[in-house]
Amino acid sequence: MRIARFTSDDDQPRFGVIGERDGRSVLAVLTGDPLYAGIELSGQSLSLDDVRLLAPLIPRSKVVGIGRNYADHAAELGHDLPTEPLMFLKPNTSVVGPGDPIVHPATTGDLQWEAELAVVIGRICRDVPPDQAADVIVGYTVANDVTARDLQRSDDQWTRAKGYDTFCPLGPWIETDLDVSDLRVTTSLRGRDELRQDGRTSQLIFDVPTLVAHVSSVMTLLPGDVILTGTPAGVGRMVPGDEVSVSVEGIGTLTNPVLAA
Ligand code: MG
C-alpha cells in the first residue's frame, strides 16, 4: 500500500491511499492521519494529477540519521568503517516534500545530495530486538539527506551541516509493503545523463533491523519518527538551478529544485 499526504486547492493537508482506476492513478482519501487514526476511507477519491503531494509525514519528534553506513561512501570521504552505527539528528523542521525547493544557504560552498532509504516508525517503542523491528516499522520512503559538507568538516557537531530548513526532503509517499534487503538507490541531476549515485541497500553495513535496534536502545521512538539509513558512494555538489532526483527501487523518485537563499 502507498500512503500519500497531499493538498488540493492548497487546503489543509490530507492523506490518501494510491490506487488505480481505468489506468489512472487515484487517491482514496482517508479520514485522518493513518499513523494515529489507522486506515479509514472517507469515500472520496481524487485523481493523483489534481493534487499536490506533500512530505508524506512531518515527524512529530525526530529524524535520526545514520552516517557512513555504506563502505564505499565512507571510503570516498576518507573515513574508516564504523564499528557501530553512527547516529545524528536532523530537526523535523528540515523536512520538505516533493517539488519543494532545497534552499542553498549562503554559509556553505559545498551543498551535497545523499539519496537514502528512509524507515518510518509506526509505534512507540524502546529497546526493540532486531528480530522484532518489522513490528514497529509502518513503511518506507525516500530521503535526500542534504548536507553542507564543508560545515560538516569544520563543525565538531553536525547539527548545522545537516539541520538547515529544507535539508530533509522526504517522499513521494510511504510504501508499506516492501522487502528492503536489496533495493537500488540512485541520484540523478536534471540535464546530466549519468547517475551520480547508484548503490544497493544490500551494501548497508548495518541493516534496517540492526539500525532500529540500535537507535531504540538509545532513545524512545515515536510514531512518525524517521530513520535515514545512510547513503552510497557518489555524493556531490548541488548549486542553485540544479534539480536533484533521488530514488529507491520499489518506492519511487523524489525530485527537488535547488534555490539560492
Ligand atoms: Mg546521510
Side-chain angles (χ1 to χ4, degrees):
M1 182 168 56
R2 287 183 169 173
I3 302 170
R5 182 168 161 267
F6 69 94
T7 181
S8 55
D9 302 327
D10 282 328
D11 206 347
Q12 286 294 313
R14 291 186 286 169
F15 294 83
V17 175
I18 298 174
E20 279 220 349
R21 187 188 300 152
D22 304 328
R24 292 172 59 220
S25 292
V26 292
L27 267 174
V29 180
L30 301 178
T31 56
D33 183 336
L35 278 170
Y36 306 101
I39 300 286
E40 192 178 331
L41 296 173
S42 70
Q44 183 187 10
S45 103
L46 296 167
S47 168
L48 196 57
D49 293 336
D50 293 338
V51 305
R52 185 165 71 88
L53 292 181
L54 306 170
L57 75 163
I58 299 294
R60 282 233 178 140
S61 72
K62 54 197 170 289
V63 176
V64 183
I66 302 295
R68 302 169 192 162
N69 200 23
Y70 287 79
D72 54 356
H73 172 63
E76 76 179 343
L77 295 182
H79 297 292
D80 294 333
L81 296 188
T83 54
E84 59 181 351
L86 174 60
M87 294 170 48
F88 60 92
L89 290 174
K90 290 170 88 82
N92 58 3
T93 43
S94 64
V95 171
V96 292
D100 289 337
I102 297 165
V103 178
H104 187 302
T107 46
T108 177
D110 194 6
L111 188 70
Q112 298 199 349
W113 61 78
E114 295 190 358
E116 310 202 3
L117 171 71
V119 179
V120 182
I121 299 298
R123 288 189 7 202
I124 186 168
C125 58
R126 171 85 210 229
D127 293 324
V128 180
D131 66 357
Q132 291 174 28
D135 296 343
V136 304
I137 295 170
V138 70
Y140 302 89
T141 190
V142 184
N144 190 342
D145 176 20
V146 175
T147 303
R149 195 71 65 200
D150 46 356
L151 303 183
Q152 188 184 27
R153 292 202 175 95
S154 62
D155 292 356
D156 284 339
Q157 301 284 330
W158 296 357
T159 305
R160 180 168 67 144
K162 299 279 193 179
Y164 277 93
D165 286 2
T166 77
F167 272 25
C168 192
L170 294 177
W173 39 67
I174 296 170
E175 173 62 67
T176 60
D177 305 305
L178 193 62
D179 175 356
V180 298
S181 58
D182 186 22
L183 301 175
R184 192 178 189 194
V185 179
T186 59
T187 297
S188 61
L189 288 155
R190 183 183 59 188
R192 303 191 215 175
D193 284 340
E194 80 273 32
L195 288 175
R196 307 304 295 262
Q197 292 189 283
D198 191 0
R200 302 197 69 86
T201 56
S202 54
Q203 300 162 338
L204 287 172
I205 297 170
F206 302 105
D207 65 9
V208 168
T210 304
L211 295 179
V212 171
H214 186 79
V215 174
S216 70
S217 76
V218 176
M219 59 188 81
T220 299
L221 292 171
L222 302 182
D225 281 351
V226 173
I227 300 174
L228 310 183
T229 56
T231 200
V235 295
R237 185 172 300 174
M238 305 181 286
V239 297
D242 278 339
E243 186 178 88
V244 61
S245 294
V246 291
S247 301
V248 176
E249 180 182 8
I251 305 175
T253 298
L254 171 65
T255 298
N256 300 89
V258 181
L259 294 186

